[in-house]
């Protein structure tokens, strides 16, 4: 007996869950302008380890990490080791001027790339702020997930930092043990 | 999802309250934020007096401005589960947080949130020791923390202290608990539940089952419970009359999970919801 089915599949085509970033596969290329108007193209960064941090300066999780200088400390840790850091802001209501002001107020030691249309965020499947991606020197995605294991902010500096673990492994030439974790944070504020 | 406006019933009858404080941290940023916290907590109990050896449900009623939501035990793709902790004297124990059936919110970009809007009452059952002295008071510390979001997210919370007299049981706030503290999920009795579960074909990294309902259920939603080392996404929910086919995508960050618990919620044409906890077994174990 045939019964017409009301198919309630979730709209995946435009959704973050259909993001193209897979561990071990080439990370999606992008060209974005940073908070100062300088163009950054991922393909030109081959040969470096690239760390991307999806951000929203108004999000309490991001604010907590800004106060703790979590990513600034990583920038220091890997200085001179051919590792580059970028924040990516896909919040639809925050323009380049906002990101420039926020970077200065937060004393970030790395640029913020402006992705107001949200296209790069969706390419990567970025869903939280922060949501971290680590790309190896060949341009392949090596880590996708949470910045650390301390969602509630209880362990602070003693938290297990998944980004540091991934970058350390890449620098040592050994496989990244934890390639994916569940990211935590506020939802990325896409336009559509 | 909208409730008809009506005055809330009187809360916290006859509980002596210490000053509670609602914390909402926004921080100084260039963009404007709400001038008043969009979510406000108030402590609440289902008894004004509890008998020795009895149980009191104690917690917080969170009221929110329109469009804002706080999160369920599994917040979904982002967010933070709401927390409720009780501090009790020796001999009294608090049980698990009773989560009313959540709602599903889809944000731009297809980001899915599970939680509550307008108002929600979260409480824990407190077991009072059988040797509690009639005429004495049980001191309960109540602390709730949440993330409340609309187009931006703010942290918030409630802290309070309640003094619950011991004596002949007197129940209060029945309407508040019924309206905002429920419905609560039920666990189907095997052989007597609202549906039977059948295997359905599934691809790798997926689980699928078909629920054959005793009676056509109306609208059905599925909410996965959180896992320590895995994440569940509802990929498809097909409904045909009294049969619901459910396909889940399982992302494992560690060991492959055994049974994956989900909450199946049905809503009748009058809008009444019922929820049932169901464990989805691995494909080789579905009979």
């Amino acid at each position: 007996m045939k019964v017409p089915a009301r198919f309630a599949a979730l709209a995946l085509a435009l959704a973050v869950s259909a993001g193209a970033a897979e561990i071990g596969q080439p990370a999606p290329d992008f060209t974005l302008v940073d908070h100062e108007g300088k163009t950054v193209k991922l393909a030109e960064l081959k040969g470096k380890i690239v760390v991307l941090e999806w951000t929203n300066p108004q999000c309490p999780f991001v604010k907590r990490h800004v106060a703790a200088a979590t990513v600034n400390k990583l920038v220091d840790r890997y200085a001179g080791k051919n590792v580059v850091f970028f924040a990516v802001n896909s919040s639809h209501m925050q323009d380049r001027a906002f990101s420039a002001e926020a970077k200065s107020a937060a004393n970030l030691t790395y640029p913020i790339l402006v992705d107001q249309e949200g296209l790069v965020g969706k390419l990567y499947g970025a869903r939280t702020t922060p949501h971290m991606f680590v790309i190896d020197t060949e341009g392949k995605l090596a880590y996708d997930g949470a910045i650390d294991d301390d969602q509630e902010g209880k362990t602070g500096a003693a938290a297990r930092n998944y980004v540091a673990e991934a970058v350390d492994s890449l620098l040592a030439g050994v496989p990244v043990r934890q390639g994916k974790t569940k990211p935590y944070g506020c939802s990325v504020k896409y336009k559509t | 999802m909208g409730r008809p406006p009506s005055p809330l019933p009187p809360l916290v009858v006859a509980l002596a309250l210490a000053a509670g404080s609602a914390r909402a941290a926004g921080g100084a940023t260039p963009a404007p934020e709400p001038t008043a916290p969009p979510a406000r907590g108030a402590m609440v109990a289902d008894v004004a007096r509890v008998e020795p050896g009895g149980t009191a449900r104690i917690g917080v009623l969170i009221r929110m401005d329109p469009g804002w939501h706080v999160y369920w035990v599994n917040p979904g793709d982002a967010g933070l589960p709401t927390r409720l902790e009780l501090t009790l004297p020796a001999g009294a124990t608090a049980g698990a947080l009773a989560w009313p059936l959540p709602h599903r919110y889809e944000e731009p970009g297809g980001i899915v949130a599970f939680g509550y809007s307008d108002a929600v009452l979260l409480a824990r059952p407190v077991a009072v020791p059988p040797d509690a002295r009639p005429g004495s008071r049980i001191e309960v510390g109540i602390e709730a923390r949440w993330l409340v979001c609309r187009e931006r997210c703010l942290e918030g919370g409630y802290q309070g202290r309640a003094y619950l007299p011991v004596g002949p049981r007197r129940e209060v706030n029945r309407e508040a608990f019924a309206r905002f503290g429920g419905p609560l999920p039920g666990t189907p009795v095997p052989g007597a539940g609202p549906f039977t579960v059948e295997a359905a074909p599934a691809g790798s990294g997926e689980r699928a089952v078909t629920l054959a309902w005793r009676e056509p259920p109306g609208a059905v939603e599925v909410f996965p419970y959180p896992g320590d080392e895995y994440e569940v996404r509802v990929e498809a929910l097909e409904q045909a009359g009294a049969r619901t086919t459910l396909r889940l995508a399982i992302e494992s960050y560690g060991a492959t999970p055994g049974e994956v618990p989900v909450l199946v919620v049905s809503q009748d044409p009058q809008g009444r919801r019922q929820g049932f906890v169901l464990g989805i077994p691995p494909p080789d174990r579905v009979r």
Side-chain angles (χ1 to χ4, degrees):
Chain A
M1 179 179 80
K2 278 199 153 74
V3 178
R6 184 161 45 84
F7 187 73
L10 304 174
L12 296 180
L14 295 172
V16 145
S17 52
E22 296 271 348
I23 302 292
Q25 295 301 311
D29 193 17
F30 61 79
T31 303
L32 287 176
V33 166
D34 78 4
H35 64 286
E36 287 178 330
K38 181 168 164 250
T39 299
V40 172
K41 191 169 162 58
L42 180 68
E44 287 171 1
L45 296 169
K46 264 205 178 76
K48 299 185 198 290
I49 294 172
V50 178
V51 179
L52 303 177
E53 172 202 2
W54 254 262
T55 193
N56 170 355
Q58 294 182 315
C59 167
F61 294 90
V62 172
K63 289 185 192 181
R64 187 176 90 220
H65 283 293
V66 162
T70 309
V71 180
N72 276 4
K73 287 180 182 161
L74 293 178
V75 173
D76 286 344
R77 178 184 168 124
Y78 298 111
K81 300 219 163 99
N82 229 12
V83 184
V84 291
F85 290 79
F86 297 98
V88 183
N89 192 349
S90 302
S91 313
H92 73 91
M93 73 294 265
Q94 295 168 2
D95 60 13
R96 184 162 71 80
F98 181 96
S99 282
E101 162 70 32
K103 182 212 182 267
S104 160
N107 286 318
L108 297 186
T109 54
Y110 52 102
I112 300 184
L113 305 181
V114 183
D115 179 41
Q116 245 183 310
E117 294 299 305
L119 298 175
V120 178
K122 288 179 184 173
L123 259 189
Y124 276 76
R127 52 184 158 116
T128 60
T129 56
H131 187 161
M132 310 300 295
F133 297 84
V134 178
I135 300 163
D136 71 15
T137 54
E138 293 169 10
K140 298 217 273 292
L141 189 63
Y143 177 76
D144 164 355
I147 188 167
D148 61 24
D149 65 352
D150 184 23
Q151 176 181 231
E152 306 255 347
K154 294 211 159 97
T155 43
R160 184 180 164 192
N161 189 298
Y162 293 120
V163 174
E165 285 186 11
V167 175
D168 286 346
S169 295
L170 290 176
L171 288 173
V174 302
V176 174
R177 276 180 45 212
Q178 193 76 42
K180 276 194 95 157
T181 60
K182 179 176 178 174
Y184 70 76
C186 311
S187 53
V188 173
K189 307 304 182 205
Y190 290 106
K191 183 187 294 186
T192 57
Chain B
M1 194 166 75
R3 291 193 172 85
S6 70
L8 288 175
L11 299 168
V12 202
V13 174
L15 276 183
L17 305 175
S21 59
R23 294 191 307 262
T29 60
E33 65 180 66
T35 49
R40 299 158 298 279
M43 73 165 78
V44 65
D46 69 344
V47 288
R49 197 169 53 215
V50 65
E51 75 280 24
T55 300
R57 293 171 61 187
I58 300 179
V60 64
L61 175 71
I62 304 171
R63 281 183 271 175
M64 292 162 265
D65 288 345
W68 294 81
H69 58 262
V70 294
Y71 292 89
W72 185 52
V73 64
N74 177 3
D77 291 332
L80 187 71
T82 306
R83 294 266 183 255
L84 172 68
E85 302 303 331
L86 303 181
T87 316
L88 299 167
T93 55
L97 202 166
W99 297 93
L101 303 184
H103 296 271
R104 182 179 185 277
Y105 308 98
E106 189 162 324
E107 299 180 22
I111 297 180
V112 173
F114 302 136
Y116 310 97
S117 56
D118 300 327
V120 64
L121 193 164
L122 300 176
R124 290 180 182 270
V126 173
V128 172
D131 59 357
R133 209 168 23 86
S136 69
R137 297 187 314 171
I138 305 221
E139 186 176 327
V140 183
I142 302 166
E143 179 166 0
R145 284 190 57 204
W146 57 74
L147 188 75
V148 60
C149 300
R150 197 167 65 181
E151 61 273 350
R152 59 182 292 179
C153 292
L154 300 171
E155 291 178 300
Y158 172 83
Q159 263 185 327
R161 191 157 290 279
Y163 301 89
L164 185 56
V166 177
R169 185 180 183 84
R170 182 154 90 83
E171 295 186 349
V172 295
N173 293 323
R174 190 179 299 248
E175 190 188 327
F177 273 83
R179 205 168 139 196
F180 305 114
L184 296 172
T187 304
V189 175
F195 48 71
T196 55
V197 183
E198 302 164 10
S204 144
E206 290 187 337
R207 305 225 176 150
V209 290
T210 294
L211 310 178
W213 297 78
R214 237 171 256 289
E215 295 176 18
V220 175
E221 295 172 290
V222 174
F223 300 87
Y225 283 97
D228 278 339
E229 292 205 332
Y230 65 88
E231 221 178 330
V232 181
R233 188 163 277 117
V234 179
E235 265 194 347
L237 193 55
E238 299 176 31
Q239 191 147 337
R243 295 176 69 79
T244 304
T245 298
L246 165 64
R247 189 152 55 246
L248 305 175
I250 313 281
E251 172 101 55
S252 170
Y253 301 122
T256 308
E259 267 203 354
V260 165
V262 301
L263 175 59
V264 177
V265 176
S266 65
Q267 179 169 280
D268 71 14
Q270 287 74 43
R272 287 178 301 236
R273 301 172 93 211
Q274 284 189 88
F276 310 96
V277 180
L278 172 66
I280 312 279
D284 56 347
R285 278 206 267 144
V286 181
R287 286 174 295 282

